Amino acid sequence: MAIDLVWIVLGFALLLAVFLPTAVERFPLSTPMVLLGVGAIVGLAPMPKGFTFSPQEHEAFVLHASEATVLVALMGVGLALDRPMRLRSLTSWRAWAPTWRLLAIAMPLGIVGVSLLGWTLGLAAPTALLLAAALAPTDPVLASDVQVEGPQTEAPQEMTQETEIDESDEVRFALTSEAGLNDGLAFPFVYAAILWASEGSPSHWGWKWLAWELVGKVALGVAVGLVVGWVLGKLFFRLPAKKYRLADAGEPLAALAAIMCSYGLTELAGGYGFLAVFVTAMAMRQAERGHRYYADMHAFIERLEQILTLVMLLLLGAAATNGVLSHADWRSAVIVAALILVIRPGGAWLSLLGRRDDTAKAVGLTTGERWITSFYGVRGIGSIFYIAYATGHADFAGSDWLWSTIAFAIIVSVVVHGSTVTPAMNWLERHRTNHRRALADA
């Protein structure tokens, strides 16, 4: 009987996941909010004796399920981004300026801010750093409402290969590219927390961490991602025998193979696999930027991501009504409120300050665009992975409290960001229209 109910719940939830995006697009409601609610109701139902939704009791499953969800989302984000990243082009680097600012300024400020706040409120230093590192990355899984829609595969023929495909929405580009990169870049700080908890004072491991965890592994992740993406681009589009080109066959499963190859090779080499998967997708896009095959792969990855996200949100919702929040306290509320309302918006706002230049793409953002980009740093599945990973590699004081606070942060983020994103994006469109009219009249 119990397994029959599981099938019914999963089927009903999957129908909701397919139906809801269209149904709620005009309302201050998001699909993740509804799925969390369904999961919470499921968690209140009678369960077989001895069964629990506690993530600590199923740590291995939670670790690998969240890992797979983030990996699939990172491939989807990399395939969806249209703006090229040419390593030898200064113009290309400048076009990614909002991303670099969010990563180099907003993310470290967020980690420092949450760490200091947690330490001030009485957390052990390694615990405070782990909490900050786990909450540092914005989520490519739950932030679909503020991300780019997907790869463009048709461009005006009169445009050149250098300019024919690009992003038109700076806010969506900044948030999407940030989410694609900061999942991998949070890893060094998670490792710092692990080293602090297991080896003591940073004076014992600080230089090793700086050279290897912060620099070496990031460089390896980028390098392997570039190589794998370049090789796969050649296989997909440039093989001499046309019948062997997967791009012409339109086989979307190759995107899943790309995830596995890139992630496995990078982890085997000792680098950051999350970073490599995103870079692989971006490198593959350079082969034939406007080819229909990218849309096919992205559609397949998007469906797989929906299924994995569905499972994770149902489990999180069920855990929320089965004790995962029981160790959250006033400190949890203060930290989460500070992160969502002050630390992330303030740090991102500072990072994006700059002169608006309408002749130089992405050098600056309008005031309205900066506000939206600063506020919508959605926290999600990546945070679950990092907590599961870290607590499996070292003992942290207050690990139950950590799990409760992370779950609380994700739920609050889903509700706050999910309930405000529709009116906020509608306001932004009106703001842009008025801005264009003002420029036309000037």
Side-chain angles (χ1 to χ4, degrees), residues 190-205:
V190 173
Y191 273 113
I194 292 172
L195 290 170
W196 205 340
S198 58
E199 298 186 18
S201 171
S203 61
H204 299 152
W205 48 266

Side-chain angles (χ1 to χ4, degrees), residues 250-271:
E251 178 49 71
L253 275 174
L256 192 56
I259 295 173
M260 296 177 179
C261 291
S262 179
Y263 189 65
L265 287 171
T266 308
E267 291 293 315
L268 187 64

Side-chain angles (χ1 to χ4, degrees), residues 134-156:
L135 290 174
T138 54
D139 197 82
V141 180
L142 303 181
S144 59
D145 289 330
V146 290
Q147 290 185 355
V148 299
E149 294 184 359
Q152 298 181 49
T153 56
E154 294 180 4

Side-chain angles (χ1 to χ4, degrees), residues 199-214:
E199 298 186 18
S201 171
S203 61
H204 299 152
W205 48 266
W207 287 109
K208 179 183 72 174
W209 173 83
L210 182 65
W212 178 236
E213 307 293 347
L214 185 61

